[in-house]
Amino acid sequence: MASKVAIVRCSTYEADEVQTAVERALGLLGGVEEFVRPGERILLKPNLLVGATPESAVTTHPSVFAAVVRVLQGAGATLTYGDSPGFGSTAGAARKAGIAQVAEDLGVALADFSDGQQVSFPEGRLIKQFFLAIGVLEADGVVSLPKFKTHGLTRITAAVKNQFGCVVGLRKGEWHARMPDVERFCQMLVDLNRCIAPRLSVCDAVVAMEGNGPRSGTPRPVGAIVASADPVALDATLARIVGLDPALVGTIVYGEEFGLGTASDVELVGDPLEEFVVPDFEVNRSPASTTGGSKGPVSFMRRFVVPKPVIRPDRCTACGTCVRVCPVTPKAVDWATPGGAADGRPPRHDYGRCIRCYCCQEMCPEGAIQIEVPPLGRIIHRGS
Ligand code: SF4
Ligand code: SF4
C-alpha cells in the first residue's frame, strides 16, 4: 500500500494559520485517532539542535509544536517532549527556541533526556542495540516534529534524521566515530528509526534552512506543513520539493532498502506539490559522496576529493566548540598551540585524521566553518 504524505499550505507562523494547517494535515492522513489513543503517553520530539531563536530556523517553531500539542491533547494523550541537543542542555535549548514556554503554558512536561538505557534491537540490519533516552523509553509512542534543513553529512535533515536526538548527549558523537562514512551512518539512522518506530512525523517546512545548515544556514520560506506516518516518504517528498534527487539521500535510500518506508510508492494528499517547489534551494546536489566512504580516516587520495570543513578566520571567535564536539581521538580539529584559545587564533584541522562527519561545521555558533570541495573534487564532481 502506498504511503500517504500530506502537504498543506502554511505561509506564516501565525498561531491560527499553523493550527488550521496541522489539523488539516492530520485530517488528510485519516485523523489523529489513527496515531494515538486516549490515555497514552506520547513523547513529542522536536528538533532542538542547539539553543537558537525561532527566527533563525534552526529548531522546530513553537507554533508548530503548540498546534500538534493541542491536537494530541484533544485526542486524550498525555504529552512529554524532549531532544538531546548537540550542545548544552535540553531545557536551555527549549527555552531559547520558545518551546519551553509553550510546553509550560499547555502542560507538557520535559522528558528525561539526561540519561539513557541500552535497548536491544535484534531486527537491526546493521545495529542491534541503541542507548536511548529514558524519556523515549518511558513513552508509549513517539510523534516526531522535525525541522526541514540542509545538512553537511546527510544533505538534508528532516523526518528520519530527527530521531538521532533520541540518542543521549555525547553518545551521538560516538556514532559518528563508529560510522565515519555517510552510507553506514545513514544505515544506523534507519535502524534507529525502525527501533523507535515514530508513529507520525509533522515537519516544519514553513521556513526551512538552506545553505550552511543545519545550524548556520539561511532561513528560506517553503510554506508547508508536511506530515506522514512514513518518515522515508516524507523526506523523499521534501527532497522533490527542493529538486534534490532522493537517490542521493542515504536516509531515503537505506530507508527503502531496510523496509522503514518508501520513496517510490507515495500518495500525496493536500495541496499540489508543484506549488511548493523551490528549484534554487541551496542544497548539496552533487552526485559525489559527502564522505570518504572509508572505514577510518579519509584515505589518502580521497582527502583531495571529498568535501572538507574549512574555518573562516574572520568569523572565528576561538570559542572552542568545534574542538569539543570533534568525535575522533586525537581530535581532528584542535588548537594550534598547547595554550588553546589563549592566543586568539582559530583551531586548525588535520585533514588526515578528519572523518568528514561535519560535527564541527554543524555546531560552530558563528557559522565560521564551511564545507568546501577541494579543487580536484570539483573537477571530478563536474565530470560526474
Ligand atoms: S566553533 Fe567556530 S567560532 Fe568556535 S573555535 Fe571553532 S571555528 Fe571558531
Ligand atoms: S574535524 Fe570536524 S569533520 Fe573532521 S572529524 Fe572532527 S568534527 Fe568531524
Side-chain angles (χ1 to χ4, degrees):
M1 201 169 68
S3 286
K4 259 189 197 176
V5 176
I7 314 177
V8 172
R9 167 72 58 198
C10 184
S11 305
T12 73
Y13 285 115
E14 199 271 314
D16 288 346
E17 185 179 358
V18 176
Q19 191 70 46
T20 302
V22 166
E23 288 176 11
R24 187 174 157 226
L26 295 193
L28 288 163
L29 296 178
V32 65
E33 302 76 19
E34 290 287 312
F35 306 104
V36 299
R37 286 185 291 279
E40 282 191 313
R41 294 164 304 171
I42 300 295
L43 173 85
L44 294 175
K45 165 63 183 73
N47 183 324
L48 292 172
L49 175 67
V50 289
T53 61
E55 299 71 38
S56 61
V58 173
T59 51
T60 305
H61 198 280
S63 294
V64 176
F65 180 81
V68 176
V69 166
R70 290 195 184 96
V71 174
L72 295 185
Q73 286 180 335
T78 300
L79 304 178
T80 57
Y81 77 101
D83 190 11
S84 177
F87 208 71
S89 71
T90 309
R95 209 167 29 250
K96 191 93 186 268
I99 279 183
Q101 189 60 56
V102 171
E104 195 182 318
D105 293 346
L106 298 178
V108 182
L110 184 61
D112 181 2
F113 272 63
S114 62
D115 200 2
Q117 202 172 300
Q118 203 76 29
V119 175
S120 174
F121 183 57
E123 302 87 352
R125 288 279 292 269
L126 180 70
I127 307 297
K128 299 193 184 297
Q129 48 182 11
F130 288 99
F131 194 84
L132 299 181
I134 297 291
V136 176
L137 302 175
E138 286 179 342
D140 296 316
V142 172
V143 169
S144 179
L145 305 179
K147 181 83 175 176
F148 179 37
K149 298 181 288 181
T150 48
H151 194 277
L153 183 62
T154 56
R155 297 176 194 262
I156 56 170
T157 167
V160 175
K161 177 77 172 50
N162 195 41
Q163 269 57 254
F164 196 38
C166 294
V167 175
V168 176
L170 293 176
R171 303 215 175 216
K172 293 204 292 299
E174 289 172 14
W175 279 119
H176 281 291
R178 279 178 65 185
M179 308 282 151
D181 56 289
V182 68
E183 288 78 18
R184 290 204 309 153
F185 186 76
C186 288
Q187 290 170 5
M188 178 278 292
L189 287 175
V190 169
D191 271 343
L192 177 65
N193 274 261
R194 292 172 63 229
C195 176
I196 295 170
R199 295 181 183 187
L200 168 71
S201 300
V202 181
C203 183
D204 172 6
V206 179
V207 178
M209 176 182 281
E210 65 177 354
N212 197 25
R215 180 177 186 176
S216 302
T218 309
R220 180 77 191 261
V222 172
I225 294 291
V226 187
S228 181
D230 178 342
V232 179
L234 197 161
D235 286 0
T237 301
L238 291 171
R240 289 178 182 124
I241 284 175
V242 298
L244 173 64
D245 182 355
L248 293 176
V249 182
T251 46
I252 295 174
V253 172
Y254 296 112
E256 276 211 295
E257 190 179 319
F258 288 12
L260 173 65
T262 178
S264 49
D265 193 10
V266 178
E267 181 192 353
L268 297 177
V269 291
D271 297 318
L273 181 141
E274 298 71 36
E275 290 183 4
F276 300 93
V277 168
V278 189
D280 60 344
F281 193 89
E282 199 186 324
V283 62
N284 178 9
R285 297 186 183 84
S286 164
S289 170
T290 51
T291 64
S294 60
K295 287 192 173 156
V298 178
S299 63
F300 180 76
M301 259 315 286
R302 299 194 77 121
R303 282 165 57 185
F304 302 102
V305 176
V306 175
K308 61 183 182 180
V310 176
I311 295 177
R312 284 188 50 172
D314 58 320
R315 289 197 185 171
C316 176
T317 57
C319 71
T321 300
C322 53
V323 177
R324 281 196 288 278
V325 299
C326 179
V328 300
T329 309
K331 300 280 184 187
V333 57
D334 211 343
W335 301 108
T337 56
D343 60 8
R345 286 157 60 192
R348 283 195 306 214
H349 281 96
D350 179 337
Y351 294 117
R353 265 208 293 271
C354 173
I355 59 172
R356 290 0 183 223
C357 68
Y358 310 117
C359 290
C360 52
Q361 174 264 344
E362 180 170 343
M363 297 314 300
C364 172
E366 307 297 333
I369 304 183
Q370 292 177 330
I371 297 172
E372 292 184 4
V373 183
L376 183 57
R378 277 201 291 276
I379 294 167
I380 293 171
H381 294 182
R382 265 202 296 276
S384 59

